[in-house]
Amino acid sequence: MKRVDDFRLKFGKKELVPIIIGGMGVDISTAALALEAARLGGVGHISDAMVNEVSDRRFDTSFVKDKTRLYKYNINNSDKTGIHFDLGHLAEATKLHVGNTMQAKRGDGEIWVNCMEKLTMNAPRETLRVRLASALDAGIDGITLSAGLHLGSFGLIADHPRFRDAKLGIIVSSVRALQIFLRKNAKLNRLPDYVVVEGPLAGGHLGFGMDWAQYDLATIMAEVTAFLKAEQLEIPLIAAGGIFTGSDAVSFLENGAAGVQVATRFTVADECGLPAKDKQEYFKASEEDIIVNTISPTGYPMRMLKNTPAIGSGIRPNCESYGYLLDGNGNCAYITAYNREVEAHPNAKVISVMDKTCLCTHMRNYNCWTCGHYTYRLKDTTRRLPDGSYQGLSAAHIFLDYQYSVDNKIALPE
């Protein structure tokens, strides 16, 4: 019976344990979590979601405070078009976050950064270019382009000296998305180094509509594999979404996947950035507690725990401090929904907004409990303690269980 350790993710002469920990923002996939994956010979992601805020927490910078002070006059104004990020601050925050992580790396594995196109930041091209280039400047091993088609992202860094040196990958949920990406970037003569194929059981934002349940990862993987074979393209495919055990991973590796990307089981790792009390909510969740809704301002469906504090919250939009989801015209779907409810309830001290949420503020405060489909199985990966809580797990324990387990077994902690 094969184990994940019987396979290797290969890039030229370099071989890695084919386990990639996904890049959960905002600093849920911490540097510590990614570094453990790299130490063990696999790949760990950090995320550049709300990187200014992450820098302030980690390195005692004051980027958010400075931005708030600069735009304080606009806090009660519903028009957010004049709010912009300081590109110098954005570059510095990215370099601090990425650079310090890379300096701490040990072992034969790699660190990649997850970069979401949907973080439009009221200047989509300019801010994305800075985030990508700054991560390359700071020595990142690879960049995974997520949350969008990223049709112009390669072009934004085509003149960077590390454009063909660092690994660049794309997340897709269909053959069509990959076809469009390759066609749009054909003139650059630069294929992605890997493609993450993410199925409908993944955590957080989904690359599907509310009909997500009609799709499955194995079928999508087979379709993408057939397309690449027909086009005579050799691009490593990484299966993602709903891979809960080492045996789940082996089933994809045996069918041609070069690696697997996993995240749900690492949400409760000691090194994960979630507060301890939130991790217990993940452990306690039942299957009925996990829902997919459309409250994200990005327009993507999002999977989360149904008792997520962000659902129904009517907090004031905090774009003066954050504003990561403002589009190029200074708009955000939550601002529209919030203003509608304020107008409908002019005398209310507290309002509720059910159809959208202020994702920036709630993610920053760990009040948006996004999760994978199989979160309800986390309780089966550990032991329940006498006080009713669940025992925490180290990232190494979870990683090694993926790497060496067989027969769909999960090793409990000592």
Side-chain angles (χ1 to χ4, degrees), residues 314 338 340-353:
Y338 174 83
R340 179 198 67 218
E341 293 302 322
V342 169
E343 185 175 349
H345 306 90
N347 299 317
K349 292 183 178 180
V350 178
I351 63 169
S352 176
V353 181

Side-chain angles (χ1 to χ4, degrees), residues 223-266:
E223 292 170 350
V224 175
T225 300
F227 164 70
L228 292 179
K229 184 177 181 180
E231 296 295 316
Q232 297 183 316
L233 297 174
E234 294 186 8
I235 305 174
L237 296 182
I238 297 168
I243 300 170
F244 199 77
T245 69
S247 298
D248 293 337
V250 166
S251 68
F252 285 99
L253 295 168
E254 286 186 319
N255 283 291
V260 294
Q261 180 166 294
V262 291
T264 293
R265 285 182 61 187
F266 289 94

Side-chain angles (χ1 to χ4, degrees), residues 54-300:
V54 174
S55 174
D56 288 354
R57 291 192 187 194
R58 296 287 180 186
F59 309 111
D60 202 29
T61 51
S62 59
F63 298 129
V64 174
K65 186 183 296 183
D66 292 345
K67 185 169 183 279
T68 307
R69 186 183 301 114
L70 181 63
Y71 294 110
K72 186 177 181 179
Y73 70 89
N74 200 67
I75 286 177
N76 293 317
N77 187 356
S78 61
D79 182 357
K80 309 298 183 183
T81 55
I83 297 173
H84 294 280
F85 283 83
D86 182 307
L87 297 183
H89 288 174
L90 180 58
E92 185 179 349
T94 303
K95 290 176 183 177
L96 281 169
H97 185 37
V98 174
N100 278 273
T101 305
M102 295 308 295
Q103 288 175 18
K105 190 179 81 166
R106 303 291 182 268
D108 297 325
E110 296 202 345
I111 304 288
W112 297 348
V113 63
N114 183 281
C115 185
M116 296 191 289
E117 188 177 35
K118 277 294 184 179
L119 295 180
T120 42
M121 300 167 68
N122 206 5
R125 285 179 58 84
E126 294 84 351
T127 54
L128 184 57
R129 187 198 307 272
V130 168
R131 289 156 56 203
L132 293 170
S134 299
L136 293 173
D137 290 341
I140 197 71
D141 290 318
I143 300 176
T144 300
L145 303 172
S146 66
L149 290 175
H150 283 275
L151 300 183
S153 295
F154 271 23
L156 293 176
I157 51 173
D159 59 350
H160 194 282
R162 297 194 64 217
F163 177 58
R164 299 180 189 278
D165 166 44
K167 296 178 182 67
L168 302 178
I170 180 80
I171 295 183
V172 301
S173 294
S174 68
V175 169
R176 175 172 164 74
L178 180 57
Q179 289 172 327
I180 294 172
F181 178 85
L182 294 176
R183 185 166 62 247
K184 290 290 186 180
N185 288 280
K187 63 182 179 181
L188 294 174
N189 193 30
R190 204 305 186 190
L191 292 171
D193 296 289
Y194 58 93
V195 174
V196 178
V197 181
E198 189 172 83
L201 302 184
H205 289 101
L206 306 179
F208 302 86
M210 288 302 287
D211 61 347
W212 59 270
Q214 299 177 22
Y215 300 88
D216 71 275
L217 177 58
T219 299
I220 301 168
M221 280 289 293
E223 292 170 350
V224 175
T225 300
F227 164 70
L228 292 179
K229 184 177 181 180
E231 296 295 316
Q232 297 183 316
L233 297 174
E234 294 186 8
I235 305 174
L237 296 182
I238 297 168
I243 300 170
F244 199 77
T245 69
S247 298
D248 293 337
V250 166
S251 68
F252 285 99
L253 295 168
E254 286 186 319
N255 283 291
V260 294
Q261 180 166 294
V262 291
T264 293
R265 285 182 61 187
F266 289 94
T267 58
V268 292
D270 297 334
E271 294 84 353
C272 175
L274 278 175
K277 62 181 180 59
D278 294 353
K279 292 175 184 176
Q280 291 299 317
E281 295 293 333
Y282 283 55
F283 276 127
K284 291 188 296 184
S286 66
E287 187 170 3
E288 293 72 29
D289 291 331
I290 296 161
I291 60 173
V292 176
N293 58 33
T294 57
I295 68 170
S296 171
T298 65
Y300 287 122

Side-chain angles (χ1 to χ4, degrees), residues 272-387:
C272 175
L274 278 175
K277 62 181 180 59
D278 294 353
K279 292 175 184 176
Q280 291 299 317
E281 295 293 333
Y282 283 55
F283 276 127
K284 291 188 296 184
S286 66
E287 187 170 3
E288 293 72 29
D289 291 331
I290 296 161
I291 60 173
V292 176
N293 58 33
T294 57
I295 68 170
S296 171
T298 65
Y300 287 122
M302 191 162 58
R303 179 173 282 113
M304 62 183 63
L305 300 184
K306 71 178 183 182
N307 59 334
T308 290
I311 298 175
S313 171
I315 61 171
R316 174 180 53 78
N318 204 3
C319 305
E320 285 70 29
S321 298
Y322 305 126
Y324 287 84
L325 294 181
L326 293 175
D327 65 19
N329 296 312
N331 300 318
C332 170
Y334 177 71
I335 297 174
T336 302
Y338 174 83
N339 289 336
R340 179 198 67 218
E341 293 302 322
V342 169
E343 185 175 349
H345 306 90
N347 299 317
K349 292 183 178 180
V350 178
I351 63 169
S352 176
V353 181
M354 294 302 300
D355 53 321
K356 296 297 173 186
T357 192
C358 186
L359 199 58
C360 291
T361 302
H362 287 305
M363 291 297 287
R364 180 255 181 247
N365 292 328
Y366 300 108
N367 283 331
C368 191
W369 296 339
T370 58
C371 65
H373 176 79
Y374 288 122
T375 294
Y376 66 90
R377 295 174 62 184
L378 286 173
K379 60 177 64 67
D380 300 325
T381 69
T382 190
R383 302 180 189 278
R384 197 159 191 185
L385 302 174
D387 66 357

